[in-house]
Structure formats: structure tokens, C-alpha cells
């Protein structure tokens, strides 16, 4: 009964490729997020969506494009991958008014070679 | 200056010890405060909220000092299972959390 799931768990790819990470939550939450955790373990928000609408868009290169087909899914597509994109990407969800209580997926470890 | 700063540790303590972590935040408009826990190679999970009056949850006590922009977490009677990274988290806007880089705790037998 996974609450927030992500696929794939590991992704190894070469520079210049395009890849996608999928996220699904079965908690009935309205808000979903993408975070990036770099090698220094710094966890930083990238995007948030509420009911399929983009709410937060941090300073992220436009090679990163989130897509929310419905409120239970938030996918992340990355174009022209670079070495610096190597990180763990976490999806999370929450429900108003307790948006501080975010439920994270297991993470996708992306390695760009 | 980072928005949320923590001592990275590691803090190596024996079972049964009491350990305290501190955190400072730079945005005086911060609205609410939390501690999350992240086990090695796992996702972060909410540990507890931090209230102005201080609050306790079992062996864990959290304190907030708004004037000094300072948050603390005290763990009493440490268990081996407490070994993890503890993330100080500040809520700036309705759904925007700012995470510290975490303090690593290692409890040894």
C-alpha cells in the first residue's frame, strides 16, 4: 500500500539524453511536489502543483518540465541531461491545510555520465 | 547566508544519552517550523512540529525561539533506532518548505 510511489528508483543515463520520472500518490492529496537532493544532501524544492495547477516554480532550468495529468500524478521530464543533474529526486504530496506535512516518495537516484 | 542552518555533525552518542540539535533560520517572516527525519538512502518523514511554547513527543522535545530565530530538538534516552539525519524545516509560504542540510546522529551500543 505505497502512499507515494516513484519510478524508476534508479536511472543511469548519458549526457544529452532526455528522461522522465513518474510519481503517483494514492492519498487523495491536492498538492504534489518535486524536490532535488544533491550530493551534499541539500533538499530543495523545484515545483509544486495544486489540483494540476503549477503553484511553485523555483529557479530551475527550463530543461525541467513537470506535468500533472491529474491530481494523483506529477511527472518530471528532463531534456538534455547534464552532469550536474545527478541527484536524488523526491516526489511528495500534502493536503491543505496541513501542507507542512509532506509525504515523500522513495526517491529516484539519477546518475548522468 | 543559508535560509536554514544546522550543524552537520555527525553526533556520535552512546545508547541512553541525551543529545541536542540546533538550527537557525534567516527569514523573520517564517511561519511555522518542523523537524523531519531522514534515514540513510531513504525519504524524509515528518518527526514533529515545533510550537512557540515548546512541545514534547515521548523522548523528543522541540523548542522555538522566534526572537533569536532559533529552533532546537532534544532527544532523551537515545536508541540505536534514532540513528538518522534530522532536518530542520521552516515553512515560508503556504506550501513551501525550506529544509536545512540536516544533522547526522549515530547512536552506538
Amino acid at each position: 500500500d505505497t502512499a507515494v510511489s516513484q519510478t524508476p528508483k534508479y536511472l543511469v543515463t548519458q549526457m544529452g539524453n532526455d528522461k522522465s520520472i513518474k510519481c503517483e500518490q494514492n492519498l487523495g492529496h491536492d498538492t504534489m511536489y518535486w524536490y532535488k537532493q544533491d550530493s551534499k544532501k541539500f533538499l530543495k524544492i523545484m515545483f509544486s502543483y495544486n489540483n494540476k495547477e503549477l503553484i511553485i516554480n523555483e529557479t530551475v532550468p527550463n530543461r525541467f518540465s513537470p506535468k500533472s495529468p491529474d491530481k494523483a500524478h506529477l511527472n518530471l521530464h528532463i531534456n538534455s541531461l547534464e552532469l550536474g543533474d545527478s541527484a536524488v529526486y523526491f516526489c511528495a504530496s500534502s493536503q491543505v491545510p496541513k501542507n507542512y506535512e509532506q509525504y515523500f516518495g522513495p526517491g529516484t537516484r539519477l546518475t548522468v555520465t | 547566508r543559508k535560509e536554514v542552518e544546522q550543524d552537520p555533525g555527525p553526533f556520535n552518542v552512546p545508547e541512553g544519552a541525551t543529545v541536542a540539535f540546533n538550527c537557525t533560520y534567516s527569514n523573520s517572516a517564517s511561519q511555522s517550523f518542523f523537524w523531519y527525519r531522514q534515514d540513510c538512502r531513504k525519504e524524509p518523514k515528518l518527526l514533529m512540529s515545533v510550537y512557540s511554547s515548546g512541545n514534547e513527543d515521548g523522548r523528543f522535545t522541540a523548542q522555538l525561539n522566534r526572537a533569536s530565530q532559533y529552533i532546537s530538538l532534544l532527544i532523551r534516552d537515545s536508541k540505536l533506532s534514532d540513528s538518522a539525519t534530522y532536518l530542520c524545516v521552516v515553512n515560508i509560504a503556504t506550501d513551501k518548505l525550506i529544509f536545512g542540510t540536516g544533522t547526522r546522529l549515530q547512536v552506538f551500543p
Side-chain angles (χ1 to χ4, degrees):
Chain A
D1 288 2
T2 307
V4 183
S5 58
Q6 293 178 229
T7 53
K9 192 163 182 182
Y10 298 96
L11 186 51
V12 181
T13 188
Q14 290 185 325
M15 281 175 59
N17 284 349
D18 303 338
K19 290 292 178 187
S20 291
I21 308 172
K22 294 181 189 249
C23 177
E24 176 180 1
Q25 53 95 4
N26 62 7
L27 297 166
H29 288 168
D30 288 329
T31 311
M32 294 185 73
Y33 312 81
W34 277 110
Y35 286 87
K36 177 180 179 181
Q37 189 168 43
D38 61 24
S39 56
K40 291 186 166 58
K41 307 299 182 191
F42 182 46
L43 186 66
K44 189 169 165 50
I45 190 166
M46 301 172 70
F47 303 102
S48 83
Y49 271 73
N50 184 276
N51 269 319
K52 304 193 298 174
E53 186 181 332
L54 180 66
I55 303 298
I56 293 174
N57 182 351
E58 291 294 295
T59 311
V60 177
N62 56 16
R63 298 182 295 105
F64 290 79
S65 51
K67 282 194 172 50
S68 182
D70 55 63
K71 73 174 196 176
H73 295 84
L74 180 61
N75 303 324
L76 183 66
H77 187 76
I78 316 171
N79 288 329
S80 304
L81 277 154
E82 300 177 357
L83 292 176
D85 297 333
S86 296
V88 181
Y89 291 83
F90 286 102
C91 176
S93 73
S94 66
Q95 180 66 33
V96 174
K98 293 171 82 172
N99 274 332
Y100 57 83
E101 186 171 356
Q102 296 185 7
Y103 292 80
F104 284 76
T108 295
R109 188 170 294 272
L110 171 65
T111 303
V112 183
T113 61
Chain B
R1 185 184 170 187
K2 284 184 190 162
E3 291 181 273
V4 180
E5 296 215 50
Q6 296 182 249
D7 180 342
F11 284 58
N12 295 308
V13 303
E15 274 187 289
T18 296
V19 62
F21 307 136
N22 303 321
C23 164
T24 56
Y25 60 95
S26 60
N27 190 333
S28 58
S30 301
Q31 299 169 359
S32 44
F33 311 88
F34 312 93
W35 285 99
Y36 270 67
R37 169 189 169 137
Q38 186 172 22
D39 291 314
C40 189
R41 299 180 80 87
K42 298 282 190 184
E43 69 274 20
K45 291 183 181 176
L46 178 65
L47 178 67
M48 62 194 297
S49 301
V50 186
Y51 301 120
S52 298
S53 52
N55 51 296
E56 199 172 292
D57 183 0
R59 297 180 293 108
F60 297 82
T61 301
Q63 299 269 0
L64 166 66
N65 183 323
R66 282 190 188 266
S68 305
Q69 295 182 200
Y70 171 96
I71 304 159
S72 66
L73 177 68
L74 182 81
I75 305 176
R76 289 183 301 279
D77 189 21
S78 298
K79 312 287 183 199
L80 293 175
S81 58
D82 293 335
S83 298
T85 296
Y86 291 83
L87 303 169
C88 177
V89 184
V90 172
N91 181 216
I92 303 282
T94 307
D95 56 2
K96 185 174 175 184
L97 298 182
I98 306 295
F99 285 77
T101 48
T103 298
R104 195 154 69 88
L105 171 66
Q106 184 66 49
V107 182
F108 58 87

